[in-house]
Amino acid sequence: MVGTFATDGALGFDPFPFLRALHEAGSGAVVIGQVAGIMHGSAELTGDLDLLWDGTPAQAHALREALTATGCADLPDLNRPQVDYQAMGASGDLCTPDLPWGGMDVAPCLARAVNAHDPAGFAILYADLDDLILMRRSLGRPKDHRRADELEVLRP
């Protein structure tokens, strides 16, 4: 199985049930990473849904509610700056501003998030294009630089 398409994290990836549950739970979590890049027009695919949230108890409650609603059987410890999660159709990282972001203060990104409305009647918050590019550059991995370069071209 290792190295085959059956091990690809994108297999069965459908973030919409979890995104809808986040909205219904009143979560202010913001989509970051490649899903946010795709929402800005990136052509590079992904198989995970990474989120930035403020780390407050109220938002932890909303995240737990959304995770439970989408079948997460093993709720992550939300007292850490970064944790993995797995829900129906999606998995990824839940990150707070306390996570080292290569010197970038990501807390203001929460307030600058773009609000998209799904035709099914829920909102999706995702990182502003400039913030996403800066996040990518701050992390500095080769794939982040490649993706930041692609996003630079997509600026209006």
Side-chain angles (χ1 to χ4, degrees):
M1 293 288 292
V2 176
T4 70
F5 74 90
T7 62
D8 187 344
L11 194 63
F13 181 62
D14 180 6
F16 289 104
F18 186 50
L19 290 168
R20 178 184 208 106
L22 288 168
H23 172 83
E24 290 172 354
S27 172
V30 173
V31 175
I32 58 173
Q34 189 54 19
V35 171
I38 291 167
M39 293 182 80
H40 284 292
S42 173
E44 194 168 326
L45 300 178
T46 188
D48 66 346
L49 176 65
D50 299 323
L51 300 168
L52 176 66
W53 65 290
D54 66 9
T56 64
Q59 286 300 306
H61 176 78
L63 281 171
R64 283 187 200 96
E65 187 177 317
L67 286 164
T68 301
T70 54
C72 178
D74 187 20
L75 292 175
D77 177 5
L78 297 178
N79 293 314
R80 299 184 345 200
Q82 180 181 12
V83 296
D84 295 339
Y85 76 91
Q86 187 163 8
M88 179 177 57
S91 62
D93 294 316
L94 301 173
C95 306
T96 71
D98 292 338
L99 183 68
W101 290 88
M104 179 182 177
D105 178 10
V106 298
C109 299
L110 292 164
R112 291 191 293 259
V114 178
N115 192 337
H117 295 276
D118 185 272
F122 62 95
I124 300 169
L125 297 173
Y126 63 102
D128 171 79
L129 182 59
D130 290 333
D131 287 336
L132 186 59
I133 292 169
L134 188 54
M135 283 177 171
R136 294 263 188 229
R137 299 264 183 238
S138 295
L139 290 172
R141 300 171 299 186
K143 74 175 182 178
D144 292 311
H145 284 298
R146 181 183 73 245
R147 289 173 172 174
D149 291 344
E150 178 195 26
L151 293 172
E152 292 274 359
V153 174
L154 297 173
R155 276 194 170 126

